[in-house]
Amino acid sequence: PTIAFTLLDADGRGIPYWHVEERARRAGIAIRGGCFCNPGCAERALGLDAEAAIPCLERMGGHFDPAMLSHCLGGQPVGALRASMGCGSVRADVERLLNFVDTSPGSVANAA
């Protein structure tokens, strides 16, 4: 199974996935973060306003950068985190992930 999710700060704003991904990596937890490959899916799942995103994307030209897009959109999340379990995953892996999410400073898990 694969679960896509975001973490929210204490004010209910999405924490950029690249910040969480880096912190998880330092904790020895392998999760992936990124933008959805399907722009329509991202617009729907993240509530992105296509009319607001178009000028931001045009300014970036061929140099797409999720952090720049998020900044241009007022800090709105532009991607999500993904945790995947496989045949090598064990209960302790799930518990480590849940503990990481639960103890992330100022964050609350929010399934995407």
Side-chain angles (χ1 to χ4, degrees):
T2 300
I3 301 167
F5 62 99
T6 59
L7 295 181
L8 304 177
D9 66 16
D11 295 326
R13 292 180 307 231
I15 300 171
Y17 70 81
W18 51 91
H19 292 188
V20 179
E21 189 178 35
E22 180 180 325
R23 194 166 172 272
R25 190 172 24 255
R26 284 182 288 170
I29 297 170
I31 57 175
R32 297 281 301 182
C35 297
F36 291 93
C37 295
N38 179 330
C41 180
E43 289 172 19
R44 173 98 169 128
L46 300 170
L48 294 176
D49 179 2
E51 296 300 317
I54 289 170
C56 295
L57 293 168
E58 287 175 347
R59 273 185 250 144
M60 283 187 273
H63 305 287
F64 178 78
D65 180 281
M68 288 175 53
L69 179 58
S70 176
H71 178 72
C72 183
L73 293 172
Q76 183 173 359
V78 295
L81 296 156
R82 185 180 70 233
S84 301
M85 301 297 137
C87 58
S89 302
V90 295
R91 182 181 193 100
D93 297 329
V94 175
E95 290 171 355
R96 284 183 61 221
L97 174 63
L98 293 175
N99 185 53
F100 170 79
V101 168
D102 191 42
T103 60
S104 291
S107 66
V108 177
N110 180 33

